Amino acid sequence: MASEEIAQLAEALSKTHVGDGELSYKGRGLKLDNVESVKDLVVEIEQYHGLRALRLEGNTVGVEAAQAIAKALEGKDQLQRCHWSDMFTGRLRSEIPTALRCLGSAIITAGARLKELDLSDNAFGPDGVKGIEALLQSPSCHSLQKLRLNNCGIGIGGGKILAAALTECIRQSSALGTSLRLKVFVAGRNRLENEGATALAQAFQLMGSLEEVHMPQNGINHPGVTALATAMQHNPELRVLNLNDNTFTKRGALAMAQALRHLQKVQVINFGDCLVRSEGAIAISAVLREGLNTLQELNLSFGEITEAAALVVAQAVKDKPHMVKLDLNGNCLGEEGCEALKETLENMDKADLLASLSDDEGEPDDEDEDEDEDGEEEEDGEEEEDDGKKTKENGVSSEESSPIKPQNTTMLEVQSFLSSPSAESLLSLGEKRAELLEQQVDVSDPDKAANIFLKVSFVYNEETEVKRAVLETIDALLKNAFSGSSLQTYSFLSTLLVMMGLLKGEGKAKKVQVFPGHLLALEHAVQQDYFPQDHASLLLTFVSRCGKVLKSCSNATDSLKSTLERRSTPQC
């Protein structure tokens, strides 16, 4: 061979052989239609001893070309990484599954053990997933660590096929003692919706090995979010959770907050544009208070979070040593709220964490809040109908107000108090009133605990016997309500704030008219040992910023604020 030809060959190899056993045709824009068009590529594959990675992204491969490439791959048993994103531009959708089957079959024939498979940005739909189904179930994928299927339009049907293939891979690999240990799963922009997400969640739960999950923009609502949350609890090594631009609402956010309690190695949480809302933000803050000390980034942008809830989030990240970014842009803080948030982080010497607030939506007005709550209640209507036991009494929704056949006179008196609270009916329950109420009301349920608190505190007055009865009952009920996790007690507080009109809420919790007794009983409670200091700080944040809601109880409000300020200040 002439020296000039050797030089040309060396130059060509230098462009495609990029080290670590990788052959790259990345971004060439080649139109590979037939055998002739892939002749050089096939030769390179065949002559590349120790081929571990093949990059074909940014070209377009037809069926005949795929068959020729596949033939060359049948002898490459060391192949580990297939970077095949954006590989079928301009191809008929019917061509793609055939091409994928050819390539997958070659990998199986070679006996290769893949570590990474990237088929992102190939709009192949459910049929494309069928094209890789056999590969995913085969021993060649028992070793798979990274699966990237971003922007493939796989839909609900494709999601179910994918989940079934992964489940079968887990079953077969486990039987051989080499269970699938997938670490990275990427499937954004795929229209998976609830059914597809739920099917995949079942596979994720079996894996238990995930470290990164990226599933943004999939049209997933709270049922699918809840299923994913349950699955994530079984993957304790998770470091990155990206569900951007799906729809959590309160129920999904609470489920995710519960899941985060099990994910103490998480570094990046991206729940941006997920309608986490204020109640969800508070729940996530509760988990932050408990742990997540490895957290680096938290994205709760565009979630309809109000000022006070945003401040609670900011306070919750105060002691996170690795935190580098907090994104609360696009929420409903208002100009003053944005300034308060910046000031709060500056006072904690964390100002550099905060992302831009340039797209803030401004404070929601009261009419918007009422409309949103009504809309959410309609969404929840089916569930409430299924429960068949929600009634409203004086603006308080309660399961415990439903008719229950009394066993004796005492139970009649309990029901009388629950349906129409009064000082007389509370006193009539005697010294065991708290115990009797707890027999009817599950105070471990945050909604029910908030509801019974408002009923009991409603009858507060300064008459010695009544005051004692109310406060002793409140103490007994809240001691038990606060015996659970921070997430549970934060949920109690957020529900209480919603019912008192201090926090924008959603769902079945309805606002009540606030009376001085509510605030005075709350002031008593926050001074007790069972009431955590950080919960007092949360309450102070809301009470300080919702003055007009409590205007009719100005003296009781001022007294509560003063007590909360003292309680929130660390004692030396």
Side-chain angles (χ1 to χ4, degrees), residues 95-390:
E95 293 182 79
I96 301 174
T98 302
L100 289 172
R101 285 191 187 94
C102 291
L103 294 167
S105 179
I107 293 170
I108 296 170
T109 299
R113 294 293 183 265
L114 295 185
K115 291 184 178 180
E116 182 172 1
L117 177 60
D118 185 355
L119 290 167
S120 299
D121 301 315
N122 289 308
F124 49 51
D127 289 341
V129 182
K130 292 179 182 177
I132 59 172
E133 186 177 12
L135 174 62
L136 290 175
Q137 294 176 354
S138 75
S140 290
C141 282
H142 290 182
S143 54
L144 196 64
Q145 296 178 0
K146 299 178 182 180
L147 178 59
R148 304 179 191 274
L149 296 168
N150 202 58
N151 190 31
C152 290
I154 65 180
I156 295 172
K160 290 181 176 180
I161 295 168
L162 176 60
L166 290 172
T167 301
E168 180 61 19
C169 184
I170 294 168
R171 187 191 69 79
Q172 291 189 21
S173 60
S174 298
L176 295 173
T178 56
S179 182
L180 174 66
R181 302 288 296 171
L182 192 69
K183 295 181 179 180
V184 178
F185 180 83
V186 182
R189 301 182 66 187
N190 272 302
R191 302 192 303 277
L192 292 169
E193 301 183 18
N194 291 331
E195 291 183 59
T198 299
L200 285 167
Q202 294 169 352
F204 296 161
Q205 187 165 329
L206 294 173
M207 284 175 197
S209 56
L210 290 168
E211 296 179 9
E212 294 185 27
V213 173
H214 302 262
M215 297 176 67
Q217 290 184 285
N218 270 297
I220 307 170
N221 298 324
H222 71 82
V225 171
T226 300
L228 288 171
T230 300
M232 293 307 107
Q233 295 184 39
H234 297 269
N235 289 267
E237 299 299 315
L238 197 71
R239 294 182 292 104
V240 179
L241 182 56
N242 175 10
L243 294 175
N244 189 284
D245 199 8
N246 290 290
T247 305
F248 283 25
T249 62
K250 177 183 176 180
R251 282 178 285 179
L254 291 179
M256 271 299 164
Q258 180 65 38
L260 289 173
R261 296 182 65 215
H262 300 266
L263 304 176
Q264 293 302 315
K265 295 184 180 181
V266 71
Q267 297 174 2
V268 178
I269 299 171
N270 187 344
F271 295 160
D273 205 9
C274 283
L275 279 187
V276 168
R277 293 183 172 150
S278 296
E279 290 177 276
I282 290 172
I284 291 168
S285 297
V287 181
L288 288 168
R289 291 274 191 179
E290 285 186 330
L292 305 190
N293 292 322
T294 60
L295 189 64
Q296 298 176 12
E297 297 182 21
L298 175 62
N299 184 347
L300 297 178
S301 61
F302 298 94
E304 294 188 1
I305 297 168
T306 54
E307 173 195 351
L311 293 175
V312 171
V313 173
Q315 292 161 1
V317 302
K318 178 180 179 180
D319 298 320
K320 300 295 170 256
H322 305 292
M323 197 76 180
V324 295
K325 185 178 181 180
L326 173 63
D327 193 345
L328 290 166
N329 194 24
N331 283 299
C332 305
L333 310 185
E335 187 175 342
E336 291 183 5
C338 289
E339 291 304 315
L341 180 60
K342 292 175 183 177
E343 182 180 344
T344 296
L345 287 164
E346 285 173 1
N347 291 340
M348 297 189 302
D349 196 26
K350 299 281 187 179
D352 57 333
L353 297 184
L354 189 62
S356 169
L357 298 173
S358 60
D359 295 316
D360 186 73
E361 297 286 341
E363 296 181 72
D365 58 46
D366 293 338
E367 289 183 5
D368 288 342
E369 291 188 23
D370 292 339
E371 288 173 6
D372 287 347
E373 288 166 14
D374 291 343
E376 188 62 35
E377 186 177 19
E378 288 177 11
E379 179 184 319
D380 293 348
E382 184 177 339
E383 180 179 298
E384 294 190 15
E385 185 177 332
D386 290 341
D387 288 345
K389 53 189 177 184
K390 304 294 190 293

Side-chain angles (χ1 to χ4, degrees), residues 407-482:
Q407 299 300 313
N408 50 45
T409 303
T410 303
M411 286 300 101
L412 272 174
E413 292 171 340
V414 171
Q415 288 302 311
S416 175
F417 173 77
L418 291 174
S419 62
S420 185
S422 69
E424 292 75 16
S425 59
L426 181 66
L427 292 174
S428 72
L429 299 178
E431 295 301 316
K432 293 187 177 181
R433 59 184 67 87
E435 181 180 335
L436 291 170
L437 289 171
E438 285 195 72
Q439 290 175 9
Q440 298 295 308
V441 181
D442 179 9
V443 294
S444 66
D445 182 316
D447 291 347
K448 294 174 184 175
N451 197 17
I452 192 63
F453 172 86
L454 290 171
K455 285 178 178 288
V456 174
S457 59
F458 168 74
V459 308
Y460 177 98
N461 64 47
E462 291 299 330
E463 185 181 330
T464 302
E465 189 177 5
V466 174
K467 181 177 179 179
R468 180 182 67 82
V470 168
L471 298 184
E472 286 181 354
T473 304
I474 290 295
D475 285 340
L477 293 172
L478 292 191
K479 276 182 184 177
N480 288 335
F482 278 32

Side-chain angles (χ1 to χ4, degrees), residues 534-556:
D534 61 297
H535 290 48
S537 299
L538 183 155
L539 273 177
L540 178 61
T541 299
F542 281 89
V543 171
S544 299
R545 284 165 171 78
C546 303
K548 69 177 182 178
V549 176
L550 305 175
K551 190 175 182 180
S552 63
C553 309
S554 57
N555 290 337

